[in-house]
Short mmCIF file of all heavy atoms in Angstrom, two decimals:
data_model
loop_
_atom_site.label_atom_id
_atom_site.label_comp_id
_atom_site.label_asym_id
_atom_site.label_seq_id
_atom_site.Cartn_x
_atom_site.Cartn_y
_atom_site.Cartn_z
N ALA B 92 5.22 13.78 21.18
CA ALA B 92 4.09 14.60 20.76
C ALA B 92 2.90 14.31 21.65
O ALA B 92 2.91 13.35 22.43
CB ALA B 92 3.75 14.36 19.29
N ALA B 93 1.88 15.15 21.53
CA ALA B 93 0.67 14.97 22.32
C ALA B 93 -0.53 15.44 21.51
O ALA B 93 -0.41 16.32 20.65
CB ALA B 93 0.77 15.73 23.63
N VAL B 94 -1.68 14.85 21.79
CA VAL B 94 -2.94 15.21 21.10
C VAL B 94 -3.99 15.53 22.15
O VAL B 94 -4.11 14.83 23.16
CB VAL B 94 -3.43 14.05 20.21
CG1 VAL B 94 -4.76 14.41 19.55
CG2 VAL B 94 -2.40 13.71 19.16
N TYR B 95 -4.76 16.61 21.91
CA TYR B 95 -5.83 16.99 22.82
C TYR B 95 -6.99 16.00 22.78
O TYR B 95 -7.29 15.43 21.74
CB TYR B 95 -6.39 18.35 22.46
CG TYR B 95 -5.56 19.51 22.90
CD1 TYR B 95 -4.87 20.29 21.98
CD2 TYR B 95 -5.45 19.85 24.25
CE1 TYR B 95 -4.10 21.36 22.37
CE2 TYR B 95 -4.68 20.92 24.66
CZ TYR B 95 -4.01 21.66 23.71
OH TYR B 95 -3.24 22.72 24.10
N SER B 96 -7.65 15.84 23.93
CA SER B 96 -8.82 14.99 24.00
C SER B 96 -10.09 15.72 23.58
O SER B 96 -11.12 15.11 23.43
CB SER B 96 -8.99 14.47 25.43
OG SER B 96 -9.20 15.56 26.32
N GLY B 97 -10.03 17.01 23.45
CA GLY B 97 -11.21 17.80 23.13
C GLY B 97 -11.73 17.54 21.73
O GLY B 97 -11.10 16.88 20.93
N GLY B 98 -12.90 18.06 21.45
CA GLY B 98 -13.52 17.84 20.16
C GLY B 98 -12.88 18.59 19.04
O GLY B 98 -13.02 18.22 17.88
N GLY B 99 -12.14 19.62 19.34
CA GLY B 99 -11.48 20.39 18.30
C GLY B 99 -10.30 19.65 17.73
O GLY B 99 -9.81 18.69 18.30
N ALA B 100 -9.85 20.09 16.58
CA ALA B 100 -8.71 19.44 15.93
C ALA B 100 -7.52 20.37 16.05
O ALA B 100 -7.37 21.29 15.26
CB ALA B 100 -9.04 19.15 14.48
N ASP B 101 -6.71 20.14 17.03
CA ASP B 101 -5.55 21.00 17.23
C ASP B 101 -4.27 20.40 16.72
O ASP B 101 -3.21 20.95 16.90
CB ASP B 101 -5.41 21.33 18.72
CG ASP B 101 -6.54 22.18 19.22
OD1 ASP B 101 -6.79 23.24 18.62
OD2 ASP B 101 -7.19 21.76 20.19
N GLY B 102 -4.35 19.27 16.13
CA GLY B 102 -3.16 18.67 15.58
C GLY B 102 -2.27 18.09 16.65
O GLY B 102 -2.59 18.08 17.84
N LEU B 103 -1.16 17.58 16.22
CA LEU B 103 -0.14 17.07 17.12
C LEU B 103 0.69 18.23 17.63
O LEU B 103 1.10 19.10 16.86
CB LEU B 103 0.77 16.09 16.38
CG LEU B 103 0.16 14.73 16.03
CD1 LEU B 103 0.85 14.13 14.81
CD2 LEU B 103 0.28 13.79 17.21
N THR B 104 0.96 18.25 18.94
CA THR B 104 1.87 19.21 19.53
C THR B 104 3.18 18.49 19.78
O THR B 104 3.22 17.53 20.56
CB THR B 104 1.31 19.77 20.84
OG1 THR B 104 0.06 20.41 20.58
CG2 THR B 104 2.28 20.77 21.45
N PHE B 105 4.24 18.93 19.13
CA PHE B 105 5.52 18.24 19.19
C PHE B 105 6.47 18.90 20.17
O PHE B 105 6.44 20.12 20.39
CB PHE B 105 6.19 18.25 17.81
CG PHE B 105 5.62 17.26 16.83
CD1 PHE B 105 4.54 17.60 16.03
CD2 PHE B 105 6.18 16.00 16.70
CE1 PHE B 105 4.02 16.69 15.11
CE2 PHE B 105 5.67 15.09 15.78
CZ PHE B 105 4.59 15.43 15.00
#
Side-chain angles (χ1 to χ4, degrees):
Chain B
V94 178
Y95 282 110
S96 62
D101 293 306
L103 288 154
T104 300
F105 283 88

